[in-house]
């Protein structure tokens, strides 16, 4: 029996572990990582620290925990303040954890369409010295690279270093939410350690575009990671034979960083194809990495209805608007073409249903319809 084709465009978090990952998990040499004894975890953390150009690294269960641990490590006094984008993942999608659990106050600065924050606005957001009686104390600046809500846009090394200089000159730390930092590195053609050189800490998700089943890594100085280990344990993120997961993460980094450029190419192909369907619009020039932001320009088509019809064709998409479609290495060129065919069919199907409803409404208004009694 033929396997159904399912094209899952909801996120790059939906990938399944490869056979190489499963084999490495089964063969992993493990021990108790809470005690620092798991050899596979130690080896992977050392590899990631070296790759990112930092002294040390720590594996954590999720990107949300990675960001939370990092913010709390830098802002270890309650009433600290962090400057971050108003459209950033930490601010919008991580349950307000920095405030709820850490007593850290967010000071938001408007994100531009390219994911940056204006340098002058960052400087203006830093609290003046001597204002402790009235204000929180600024201790941290956070950037996001790539920037998810801006369509996967990349922050340049030059921009990041400008922010890093501001942080340093004011005695602040700089954290980068680098959930998709490898996508940025590949798209910009800049080594990943160069992109994060100005940062005091970076969180790197291994279970998004890189395709591991679980986990993120945070990197920074040895002193930072020592604090992060305690916070990870406090938050319930200490795991025992975690080498099983680190083995898969190692394979993901080894095998899939080299596939990211292909994901970006397929995202461009999807964007170009959607632009040929008159009911949709994509700013193709804004597609820098593996995300496509789709606007529905026909008011007769709702995002929810579109997703429902696509689902009947085994094309999965999230109904958020503007619609975000995310490519990953388990979506092929044929899958992209199939998805485009389904988007076109779905639009036609929804417009046909809308036309039939309009016709029925016209008949009702003209009094030409009859009930079952002929009245």
């Amino acid at each position: 029996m033929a396997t159904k084709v399912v094209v899952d465009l909801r996120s790059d978090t939906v990938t399944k572990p490869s056979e190489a990952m499963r084999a490495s998990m089964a063969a992993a040499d493990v021990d108790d990582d809470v005690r620092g004894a798991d050899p596979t975890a130690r080896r992977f953390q050392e590899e990631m620290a070296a790759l990112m150009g930092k002294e040390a690294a720590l594996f954590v269960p999720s990107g949300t925990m990675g960001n939370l641990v990092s913010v709390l490590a830098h802002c270890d006094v309650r009433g600290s303040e962090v400057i971050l984008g108003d459209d950033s993942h930490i601010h919008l999608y991580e349950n307000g954890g920095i405030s709820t659990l850490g007593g850290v106050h967010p000071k938001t600065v408007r994100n531009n369409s390219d994911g940056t924050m204006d340098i002058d606005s960052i400087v203006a957001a830093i609290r003046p010295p001597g204002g402790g009686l009235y204000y929180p104390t600024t201790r941290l600046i956070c950037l996001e690279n790539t920037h998810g809500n801006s369509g996967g846009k990349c922050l340049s090394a030059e921009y990041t270093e400008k922010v890093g200089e501001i942080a340093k000159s004011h005695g602040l730390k700089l954290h980068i939410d680098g959930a998709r930092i490898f996508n940025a590195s590949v798209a910009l053609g800049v080594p990943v350690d160069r992109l994060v050189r100005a940062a005091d800490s970076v969180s790197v998700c291994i279970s998004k575009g890189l395709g591991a089943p679980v986990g993120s890594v945070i990197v920074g100085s040895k002193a930072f990671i020592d604090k992060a280990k305690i916070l990870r344990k406090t938050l319930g993120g200490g795991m025992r034979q975690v080498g099983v997961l680190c083995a898969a993460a190692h394979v993901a980094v080894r095998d899939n960083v080299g596939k990211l450029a292909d994901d970006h190419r397929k995202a461009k192909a999807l964007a170009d194809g959607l632009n040929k369907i008159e009911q949709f619009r994509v700013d193709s020039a804004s597609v820098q990495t593996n995300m496509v932001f789709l606007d529905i320009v026909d008011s007769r088509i709702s995002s929810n209805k579109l997703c429902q019809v696509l689902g009947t064709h085994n094309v999965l998409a999230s109904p958020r608007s503007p619609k975000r479609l995310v490519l990953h290495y388990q979506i092929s060129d044929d899958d992209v073409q199939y998805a485009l065919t389904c988007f076109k069919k779905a639009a036609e199907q929804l417009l046909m249903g809308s036309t039939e409803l309009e016709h029925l409404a016209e008949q009702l208004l003209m009094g030409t319809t009859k009930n079952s009694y002929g009245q």
Side-chain angles (χ1 to χ4, degrees), residues 5-16 314-318 325-328 330-331 335:
V5 173
V6 177
V7 182
D8 196 338
L9 298 168
R10 293 173 299 170
S11 178
D12 48 5
T13 61
V14 300
T15 56
K16 307 297 189 292
N314 295 316
V315 175
L316 307 183
S318 171
L325 309 171
V326 188
L327 281 292
H328 50 79
Q330 291 179 347
I331 292 179
D335 291 336

Side-chain angles (χ1 to χ4, degrees), residues 61-230:
S62 70
T64 294
M65 183 178 284
N67 286 328
L68 179 59
V69 164
S70 298
V71 172
L72 298 190
H74 293 306
C75 300
D76 54 359
V77 177
R78 293 183 72 84
S80 298
E81 187 167 74
V82 54
I83 296 170
L84 74 175
D86 66 343
D87 213 11
S88 65
H89 197 280
I90 293 175
H91 184 57
L92 295 178
Y93 304 124
E94 299 185 7
N95 300 103
I98 61 172
S99 301
T100 305
L101 300 175
V104 179
H105 186 261
K107 174 72 171 177
T108 58
V109 172
R110 187 180 68 86
N111 277 118
N112 299 315
S113 61
D114 63 357
T116 63
M117 298 176 282
D118 287 339
I119 295 295
D120 290 345
S121 298
I122 294 174
V123 173
I126 299 171
R127 300 290 183 175
L133 183 61
Y134 299 100
Y135 307 124
T137 301
T138 309
R139 286 194 166 85
L140 179 66
I141 302 171
C142 290
L143 299 177
E144 182 180 330
N145 197 10
T146 64
H147 194 273
N149 270 5
S150 297
K153 301 270 181 52
C154 306
L155 306 189
S156 69
E158 293 76 17
Y159 172 80
T160 303
E161 289 183 352
K162 283 181 186 175
V163 178
E165 288 167 8
I166 291 168
K168 191 172 182 180
S169 68
H170 287 82
L172 311 179
K173 299 297 184 182
L174 172 62
H175 172 69
I176 295 177
D177 175 1
R180 297 181 176 89
I181 192 70
F182 283 100
N183 290 86
S185 171
V186 168
L188 294 170
V190 176
V192 70
D193 62 323
R194 169 81 172 81
L195 277 185
V196 302
R197 188 165 61 192
D200 297 284
S201 61
V202 188
S203 62
V204 184
C205 190
I206 314 298
S207 61
K208 288 189 168 71
L210 299 182
V214 178
S216 286
V217 175
I218 51 178
V219 298
S221 68
K222 186 178 182 304
F224 166 79
I225 293 298
D226 286 344
K227 290 175 72 173
K229 283 181 183 176
I230 296 169

Side-chain angles (χ1 to χ4, degrees), residues 3 179 208 259:
T3 304
K208 288 189 168 71
K259 298 175 183 176

Side-chain angles (χ1 to χ4, degrees), residues 151-154 183 187-188 264 268 284-291:
K153 301 270 181 52
C154 306
N183 290 86
L188 294 170
H264 302 171
K268 282 279 192 185
S284 294
S286 72
V287 180
Q288 295 182 5
T289 55
N290 65 326
M291 293 185 188

